[in-house]
Amino acid sequence: MQSIGEGIRVDAQPEPEPAPALETGPREPLIVILGPTASGKTALGIDLARQFSGEIISADSRQIYREMDIGTAKPTPAERAAIPHHLLDLISPAATFGLAQYQRAAYAAISDLHGRDVLPFLVGGTGQYITAVIEGWGIPEVPPHTPLRTELEDFAAEHGARALHDRLRELDPAAADRIDYRNVRRVVRALEVCLVTGTPITVLQRKQPPPYRILQIGLTMPRETLYQRIDARVDRMIADGLLDEVRRLLDAGYSWDLPSMSGVGYAQWKPYIEGIAPLDDVITTIKNDTHAFARRQYTWFNGHDTGLRWFDITQIDAISGLVHEWLTAGKE
């Protein structure tokens, strides 16, 4: 039987450039403000940036899109005028922006602020963005190889997911140990990266922590209180013209199957616009789906809790005091 990948021509890949050497000497500060949606991250970030001569770097995978302002709860023009915000409005709703691209952009923004003696605040609720930055994830930048993917998927369909996983174990035992054989998509990706580059994905994914001194602040509150804040914000979005924003995006040619249009606050409008569901049902669905999204955010943050300090948004004075002490300690 032909081996997986044997019949596919994969052009030789250039040797990856070595990762830049970590800086030596005193580590520059980075303050991270994270938490579930509607927990008050934007307001806190602006308040602390004002107090401590900082600027904000967004860590939100939805606010990277231009023309999508209301449904993504993007900082308002007034908020952005009060404190400079970075990594907002980066791409069209039709474009893609991978995790590696975000990581590079975030590091560049942090370096720029440090170079201007400005304190960077990494603020957002996209756990993968934040963790990739503060842990220094190695992210394989291997574009999809469609013929190879098709062969791997066909192999799994014919011989079973476990047989495909066995092939991964031959090439990258460490990846096989951490990827469930039933997750065919991840198994295919790991095999794809290995076959295209000649290097196991686990080698390419090794972490190199950045040279920052990091303070992580998490915002939390009782679950029912958070749900009430979410519901109130959805009502404000509706009043501010969220439906019109969705219609403008559709009129501009952005389709429902785009990743940008599949997010909470946008995808739920499809049955209403197609005349299938009433407005009240759409609003209820947006609220409930946002509740579920907040729960998933908590799951991520709790699973990647490395020195994270949790506060309620009402504890502004305590948070401010912590930041002051932390910054002072870093200068000693």
Side-chain angles (χ1 to χ4, degrees):
M1 184 180 69
Q2 187 182 52
S3 297
I4 291 177
E6 186 177 320
I8 299 295
R9 178 179 179 273
V10 178
D11 293 334
Q13 300 294 307
E15 288 295 320
E17 295 183 5
L22 295 183
E23 300 172 6
T24 59
R27 292 181 298 163
E28 297 281 8
L30 172 66
I31 296 179
V32 178
I33 300 174
L34 57 80
T37 187
S39 59
K41 299 182 296 295
T42 298
L44 177 63
I46 291 172
D47 184 57
L48 293 178
R50 280 173 171 157
Q51 291 184 54
F52 298 102
S53 301
E55 295 182 10
I56 292 172
I57 300 168
S58 171
D60 190 303
S61 62
R62 301 169 66 216
Q63 294 179 358
I64 61 173
Y65 296 110
R66 295 188 291 270
E67 305 176 63
M68 306 183 79
D69 301 328
I70 300 172
T72 64
K74 200 173 291 179
T76 66
E79 290 170 329
R80 294 166 73 170
I83 292 294
H85 286 64
H86 305 269
L87 306 192
L88 299 174
D89 300 320
L90 297 179
I91 60 173
S92 149
T96 58
F97 194 76
L99 181 61
Q101 291 172 281
Y102 174 80
Q103 186 191 53
R104 280 200 310 272
Y107 285 150
I110 293 168
S111 178
D112 171 65
L113 296 186
H114 284 157
R116 295 190 280 114
D117 200 26
V118 174
L119 179 62
F121 287 86
L122 186 66
V123 180
T126 301
Q128 196 174 45
Y129 275 15
I130 293 169
T131 308
V133 170
I134 66 176
E135 292 187 355
W137 283 5
I139 305 167
E141 296 192 61
V142 178
H145 191 287
T146 303
L148 178 56
R149 280 191 178 185
T150 300
E151 182 186 336
L152 296 172
E153 290 164 354
D154 289 347
F155 181 91
E158 180 180 354
H159 300 284
R162 194 178 288 279
L164 186 71
H165 192 263
D166 289 343
R167 178 58 175 154
L168 176 62
R169 186 168 296 283
E170 293 176 13
L171 298 175
D172 189 351
D177 285 343
R178 72 186 193 191
I179 300 175
D180 191 297
Y181 78 92
R182 292 165 293 190
N183 193 333
V184 173
R185 182 184 62 82
R186 288 192 62 200
V187 174
V188 165
R189 178 57 177 166
L191 279 166
E192 177 187 35
V193 169
C194 186
L195 291 168
V196 169
T197 66
T199 304
I201 193 172
T202 47
V203 173
L204 298 175
Q205 289 177 331
R206 286 175 180 164
K207 298 174 183 178
Q208 186 179 34
Y212 310 139
R213 178 171 172 261
I214 299 173
L215 173 64
Q216 293 187 72
I217 297 169
L219 290 181
T220 188
M221 62 189 64
R223 194 64 56 91
E224 286 306 314
T225 303
L226 179 63
Y227 290 167
Q228 290 169 9
R229 288 173 62 97
I230 288 171
D231 294 349
R233 190 170 72 176
V234 171
D235 289 338
R236 288 196 301 274
M237 289 177 173
I238 302 299
D240 289 344
L242 177 56
L243 175 56
D244 289 339
E245 179 173 271
V246 173
R247 283 184 166 141
R248 284 195 300 273
L249 291 164
L250 294 171
D251 290 344
Y254 302 119
S255 61
W256 292 113
D257 59 352
L258 289 170
S260 59
M261 294 292 286
S262 66
V264 178
Y266 294 92
Q268 292 79 8
W269 288 100
K270 184 178 180 181
Y272 174 78
I273 288 176
E274 294 180 348
I276 298 172
L279 179 61
D280 287 348
D281 285 1
V282 171
I283 296 172
T284 298
T285 301
I286 292 174
K287 291 177 179 178
N288 290 338
D289 286 356
T290 309
H291 297 173
F293 175 60
R295 292 194 294 271
R296 292 194 298 274
Q297 289 176 297
Y298 269 126
T299 298
W300 178 280
F301 296 137
N302 288 328
H304 296 79
D305 184 351
T306 52
L308 178 57
R309 306 189 191 190
W310 289 100
F311 293 87
D312 188 280
I313 189 59
T314 59
Q315 298 175 285
I316 297 292
D317 290 343
I319 297 171
S320 178
L322 171 65
V323 171
H324 176 76
E325 292 176 7
W326 182 83
L327 290 172
T328 301
K331 296 175 182 178
E332 294 176 352

